[in-house]
Amino acid sequence: MPFPLLLAAAVININQLGFRPEDPKLAIVADHATRPLDWVVVDEAGRTVLTGRTSVGGDDAASGDHVHVARFTALTRPGSYRLRVDGTESGRFRVGRDVYAPLALNALNFFYQQRAGTPIDARWAGARWARAAGHPREVAACFSGADEKGNVWSGCPYTLDVTGGWYDAGDHGKYVVNGGIAVWTLQNLYETGLARRVFADGQARLPEAGNRRDDLLDEARWEVEWMLRMQVPAGTRVALPVGPHDRSGRLALTPVDAGGMAHHKVADARWTTLPTAPADDKEPRLLYPPSTAATLNLAAVAAQAARLWRPIDPAFAARCLAAARAAWTAAQRNPAIFAAQGFTGSGGYGDETLDDERAWAAAELFATTGDTAYRAALPTGATGEPGWASVAPLGMITLATASGVPATIRDGARAAIVAAADGFLAETTRTGYRIPYASQTYNWGSNSSILNRAMLLGLAQRFTGDARYRAGVVDAADYILGRNPLGQSYVSGTGWKPLTNPHHRFWAHQLSASSPPPPPGVVSGGPNTSAMVDPVAMTLKGRCAPQRCWADDINAYALNEVAINWNAPLVWVAAYLDSD
């Protein structure tokens, strides 16, 4: 891969937020020099406080850069600093014990601002981001008629009140399969105890602040309540596809007992334009057919919620567990009903490999109930980072962290997570930018893949006490916050070059002066080489090194959208790094 440009001076890429005193600190310097370069750290008064020389990393295929590494871990005194290398100076960064708490709180506030069915109040969001409620009193009927692939759906004999929940991304769709991993991540952060300090009641900017419940659980409950509303009433028959579609996308629809299943999504009949505030969305809202994947997501999340709410709100916990059991039974009865893909106006989230969803749901139900009936379906063996279509690692994390799991099962799950973390650390040494991700393929939402790897690294540190794993989390956070070849903080409101123009229908200031920019704490999906399908990405295709295939443009939906399942691991990682 050729270098992207002939650099006249060194380019310093560094975490633009800062560092905790005890954590490793390094910057990646892009420079063609083959000899080490001198560097200095200066304080606010311009005084030199630390000096050193870079190590030469060499050519890096993922970035197209010739890289040097500047390590300044010895800088531990709290304060504000800049790094100078070969005549170039970085922006200002901080060293302090509290650098990550504001990021964690901002990243959680993203979920409040994505709430559907309720006004977004300036007291909690800020005046620029206050808005009227989107889709209040959302009572939706099922899609009926012909889809884009010629399948004719007969609808269902009911409507559901599906008010609430979070808008999934830059559109106004609400999806059970993506809501599942997102809300699970917030609930897991609560269960592990990592966020008790930063999200104690009243710390977050939420209407529920001051209700004597952890703010993290308050926000998660908003989504769990919506997921419960997406469940098909008991004893209802619906015509659904039993098995995968053929190559043409045509489906054979068969009436089945769908009671207890979950609808895959509720969304607009057609795509809305940019910008469109949620309250201005005039498209019909429709329930789309239930799927086994959505049903198992509901079973898993509701079982997890039942476990967490049992000592706080027993009635809600009982409601969650009943829904989880009903969903599990429905998925057993209908094990291969895949998400239909012939609809416009919303994302498909299609997944025809469901063993991982089944293992995840079994793990959550087992951890909550101890019922051995779920034991045969538990996740086993090697693991990797989770994603919305790869959720077995979520079950593995629950088996490793939930109280009451038998020691033999818990220890096996922890060993699998530590082994995965070891693999991620090994990848760090093979990357020029020293991140736990060495692939030359960057998928849609690559930043979330890196953050989810960081989550497993943080858990490995907790299980073993080995500081190497926390260092890996720091490497991942450094990359997201500016230590990348674009020198870009992928998080809005953070650093001297933050995300400003995500693909979003309300945060659309790039297109309209009357629309706001993104609020602080929103993470971009990041570089994407696997599906460069938007008009901006197509201009970059074949012309960018993998880590440079990104643009801060509202029209770059394959590169620069935001999503609940991407912000959730940002909350988790920021809270972890704030903890001791």
Side-chain angles (χ1 to χ4, degrees):
M1 173 66 64
F3 297 135
L5 49 96
L6 293 175
L7 300 170
V11 176
I12 301 171
N13 297 311
I14 191 172
N15 182 327
Q16 297 171 19
L17 177 63
F19 308 88
R20 282 177 60 113
E22 69 277 10
D23 280 340
K25 303 170 189 69
L26 62 90
I28 302 298
V29 181
D31 191 285
H32 292 316
T34 57
R35 56 174 177 76
L37 302 172
D38 294 326
W39 59 259
V40 299
V41 175
V42 297
D43 63 15
E44 285 189 282
R47 297 180 295 246
T48 296
V49 296
L50 199 66
T51 64
R53 305 196 80 195
T54 65
S55 58
V56 181
D59 294 346
D60 174 45
S63 65
D65 291 342
H66 184 84
V67 300
H68 292 239
V69 182
R71 300 182 185 276
F72 50 101
T73 301
L75 180 67
T76 59
R77 184 174 181 177
S80 179
Y81 302 95
R82 295 178 186 267
L83 177 67
R84 293 175 181 166
V85 184
D86 200 30
T88 300
E89 186 172 86
S90 75
R92 194 180 304 278
F93 61 88
R94 286 184 59 232
V95 173
R97 298 194 63 79
D98 60 345
V99 292
Y100 279 101
L103 174 59
L105 290 164
N106 286 339
L108 183 68
N109 191 251
F110 162 89
F111 292 91
Y112 169 67
Q113 301 212 31
Q114 288 286 100
R115 286 188 186 187
T118 188
I120 301 305
D121 196 301
R123 288 176 297 171
W124 317 115
R128 300 185 75 180
W129 297 285
R131 60 171 173 82
H135 308 102
R137 298 178 297 280
E138 186 174 21
V139 179
C142 295
F143 178 93
S144 63
D147 66 19
E148 290 189 322
K149 297 183 181 296
N151 303 297
V152 178
W153 300 83
S154 58
C156 46
Y158 54 81
T159 59
L160 291 180
D161 182 345
V162 291
T163 307
W166 300 320
Y167 295 121
D168 177 70
D171 64 290
H172 298 141
K174 299 186 292 187
Y175 308 83
V176 170
V177 290
N178 215 38
I181 186 173
V183 73
W184 179 94
T185 302
L186 299 188
Q187 291 188 148
N188 173 262
L189 179 57
Y190 172 84
E191 186 165 35
T192 57
L194 289 168
R196 298 294 166 84
R197 179 173 63 190
V198 69
F199 294 127
D201 181 36
Q203 295 295 105
R205 301 187 303 279
L206 297 175
E208 297 83 3
N211 66 358
R212 300 183 181 180
R213 294 172 178 167
D214 187 278
D215 291 340
L216 198 60
L217 273 191
D218 282 330
E219 188 57 66
R221 182 165 175 166
W222 187 264
E223 182 77 349
V224 174
E225 294 266 17
W226 169 76
M227 290 181 71
L228 297 176
R229 296 186 188 110
M230 292 289 282
Q231 193 162 34
V232 177
T236 306
R237 295 186 70 79
V238 179
L240 296 173
V242 179
H245 56 71
D246 63 24
R247 290 185 179 181
S248 70
R250 298 301 294 273
L251 300 169
L253 301 177
T254 304
V256 301
D257 178 359
M261 295 189 73
H263 283 274
H264 201 70
K265 59 186 175 182
V266 58
D268 291 333
R270 291 168 294 273
W271 289 112
T272 55
T273 59
L274 296 170
T276 300
D280 297 333
D281 181 2
K282 305 305 181 186
E283 286 293 322
R285 298 288 282 181
L286 297 168
L287 286 168
Y288 289 89
S291 70
T292 304
T295 303
L296 290 167
N297 267 259
L298 174 59
V301 164
Q304 181 194 34
R307 189 167 67 245
L308 303 184
W309 283 96
R310 190 179 288 148
I312 305 168
D313 186 341
F316 179 62
R319 180 180 160 214
C320 288
L321 185 55
R325 289 187 186 276
W328 175 266
T329 300
Q332 296 290 90
R333 188 172 63 246
N334 300 302
I337 295 178
F338 303 109
Q341 299 297 297
F343 304 106
T344 188
S346 56
Y349 285 105
D351 181 7
E352 295 189 359
T353 303
L354 302 180
D355 287 347
D356 55 320
E357 280 84 1
R358 198 163 284 109
W360 173 34
E364 299 300 340
L365 281 159
F366 179 72
T368 299
T369 68
D371 190 335
T372 57
Y374 304 111
R375 191 162 182 163
L378 297 179
T380 58
T383 194
E385 78 269 17
W388 68 263
S390 303
V391 291
L394 306 182
M396 194 72 79
I397 293 170
T398 287
L399 296 177
T401 56
S403 61
V405 174
T408 54
I409 296 175
R410 180 200 64 208
D411 293 346
R414 290 186 175 186
I417 291 169
V418 171
D422 287 337
F424 302 153
L425 289 184
E427 292 189 42
T428 301
T429 62
R430 305 201 303 271
T431 64
Y433 275 77
R434 300 304 192 267
I435 61 172
Y437 188 85
S439 175
Q440 295 298 302
T441 299
Y442 276 64
N443 293 320
W444 201 311
S446 63
N447 281 345
S448 73
S449 296
I450 292 167
L451 288 166
N452 278 317
R453 287 187 170 203
M455 185 166 64
L456 292 183
L457 286 161
L459 290 169
Q461 184 271 322
R462 289 199 72 196
F463 300 154
T464 66
D466 192 330
R468 294 181 305 127
Y469 299 115
R470 182 179 173 96
V473 182
V474 172
D475 284 330
D478 284 359
Y479 170 85
I480 298 296
L481 295 170
R483 202 183 84 196
N484 55 66
L486 299 173
Q488 174 73 49
S489 169
Y490 288 115
V491 180
S492 58
T494 305
W496 53 83
K497 188 183 177 184
L499 168 71
T500 56
N501 298 307
H503 179 80
H504 198 275
R505 279 163 174 72
F506 181 60
W507 306 326
H509 193 69
Q510 183 181 354
L511 298 180
S512 171
S514 63
S515 297
V522 180
V523 67
S524 166
N528 178 1
T529 61
S530 64
M532 302 181 76
V533 294
D534 67 57
V536 176
M538 286 190 283
T539 68
L540 298 173
K541 194 171 184 177
R543 298 177 52 242
C544 51
Q547 290 179 346
R548 292 181 177 274
C549 292
W550 184 81
D552 193 2
D553 192 303
I554 195 170
N555 295 303
Y557 56 82
L559 312 177
N560 201 33
E561 194 164 15
V562 301
I564 55 177
N565 66 311
W566 301 343
N567 242 74
L570 177 63
V571 176
W572 200 106
V573 168
Y576 165 82
L577 288 173
D578 180 68
S579 66
D580 294 325

